[in-house]
């Protein structure tokens, strides 16, 4: 279902370089921000080298998952130019109208004093990206939508920033969105992640 709807509305996402299908855990890295190289966002099914920090979607039950990295032309404004979006989308290959989907945004800053600005920007990017998928009905309210803002160079919990529980509850109740600031999550089944 998710894959078919992406094909209808965002065919170029399925043709993007670097997509990954695996039954292993998925590791998300932004080489541009971390190393300054032009490699961009990369998805791996084994840990990158120790010095490369990443977001990890652990997959202990071996569910087949698909990861699609985004680039500057993944979402284009009607008048031209690129929309601000997150790094990638990940979802189970076998899915239905209640399957989970997750979007990941990485921010590489070592200083916790910049956390507020970075996490607010990441939150906006994540919400915009999932809104594009929701507006085109790639997903709807029945799909639990996990949004992960990650600071791979820092350990959790991230300092100098919190979200009010009332805001998180409102996102869940109104849009079925689970927003978390984390460097990892775990797949429980086709319908739920542990965050």
């Amino acid at each position: 279902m998710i894959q078919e709807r992406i094909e209808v509305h965002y065919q170029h996402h399925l043709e993007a370089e670097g997509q990954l299908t695996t039954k292993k855990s998925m590791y998300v890295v932004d080489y541009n921000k971390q190393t300054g190289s032009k490699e961009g966002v990369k998805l791996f099914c084994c840990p990158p080298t120790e010095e490369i920090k990443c977001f990890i979607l652990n997959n202990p039950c071996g569910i087949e998952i698909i990861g699609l990295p985004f680039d500057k032309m993944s979402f284009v404004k009607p008048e031209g130019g690129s929309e601000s979006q997150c790094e990638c989308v990940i979802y189970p290959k076998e899915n239905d109208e209640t399957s989970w989907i997750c979007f990941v945004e990485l921010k590489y800053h070592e200083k916790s004093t910049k956390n507020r600005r970075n996490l607010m920007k990441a939150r906006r990017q994540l919400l915009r990206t999932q809104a594009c998928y929701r507006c085109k009905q790639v997903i709807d309210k029945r799909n639990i939508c996990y949004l992960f803002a990650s600071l791979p160079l820092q350990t959790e919990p991230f300092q100098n920033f919190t979200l009010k529980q009332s805001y998180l509850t409102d996102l869940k109740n109104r849009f079925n969105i689970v927003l978390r600031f984390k460097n990892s999550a775990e797949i429980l089944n086709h319908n739920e992640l542990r965050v």
Side-chain angles (χ1 to χ4, degrees):
M1 183 186 109
I2 294 172
Q3 183 98 355
E4 291 81 12
R5 290 179 180 175
I6 292 172
E7 191 170 356
V8 169
H9 299 287
Y10 294 108
Q11 174 67 38
H12 60 288
H13 291 183
L14 300 175
E15 298 164 355
E17 198 173 307
Q19 61 182 298
L20 178 64
T21 302
T22 184
K23 289 184 177 183
K24 297 180 178 180
S25 296
M26 193 170 291
Y27 301 79
V28 181
V29 179
D30 185 349
Y31 280 95
N32 287 359
K33 301 298 181 193
Q34 189 166 180
T35 67
S37 76
K38 296 187 186 242
E39 290 183 71
V41 176
K42 299 278 186 185
L43 307 175
F44 298 97
C45 58
C46 56
T49 61
E50 193 172 302
E51 61 271 0
I52 299 297
K53 305 298 182 197
C54 57
F55 173 85
I56 305 165
L57 183 57
N58 292 300
N59 190 5
C61 32
I63 290 174
E64 193 165 20
I65 54 176
I66 297 173
L68 304 175
F70 296 137
D71 63 23
K72 294 209 181 295
M73 298 313 293
S74 293
F75 298 92
V76 179
K77 296 177 184 177
E79 66 277 4
S82 63
E83 289 277 3
S84 177
Q85 83 279 316
C86 64
E87 315 294 6
C88 69
V89 62
I90 305 169
Y91 53 91
K93 184 173 184 179
E94 298 297 324
N95 56 71
D96 60 26
E97 64 277 349
T98 62
S99 296
W100 59 265
I101 186 168
C102 77
F103 297 88
V104 179
E105 174 60 22
L106 306 168
K107 296 295 182 193
Y108 287 94
H109 287 354
E110 292 182 17
K111 296 182 178 179
S112 63
T113 56
K114 297 188 182 226
N115 283 1
R116 180 163 184 74
R117 184 176 53 192
N118 285 322
L119 291 172
M120 290 303 287
K121 182 177 181 186
R123 181 183 64 98
R124 284 190 303 273
Q125 289 173 275
L126 289 161
L127 288 168
R128 280 186 194 137
T129 309
Q130 71 80 32
C132 290
Y133 268 40
R134 197 174 296 266
C135 286
K136 295 288 187 180
Q137 297 180 338
V138 171
I139 56 173
D140 63 29
K141 191 175 177 180
R142 294 174 293 174
N143 299 103
I144 297 178
C145 185
Y146 293 91
L147 307 180
F148 295 109
S150 175
L151 299 172
L153 299 180
Q154 297 182 34
T155 56
E156 298 173 29
F158 305 138
Q159 296 178 1
N160 300 324
F161 191 78
T162 58
L163 289 171
K164 291 183 179 179
Q165 187 59 45
S166 59
Y167 173 72
L168 297 174
T169 301
D170 187 53
L171 279 178
K172 179 70 172 121
N173 290 340
R174 290 178 61 207
F175 306 106
N176 206 11
I177 291 174
V178 176
L179 172 64
R180 294 293 184 270
F181 298 148
K182 296 185 63 68
N183 289 331
S184 67
E186 182 178 298
I187 299 170
L188 294 177
N189 53 48
H190 288 86
N191 303 101
E192 192 176 9
L193 301 179
R194 176 179 290 135
V195 295

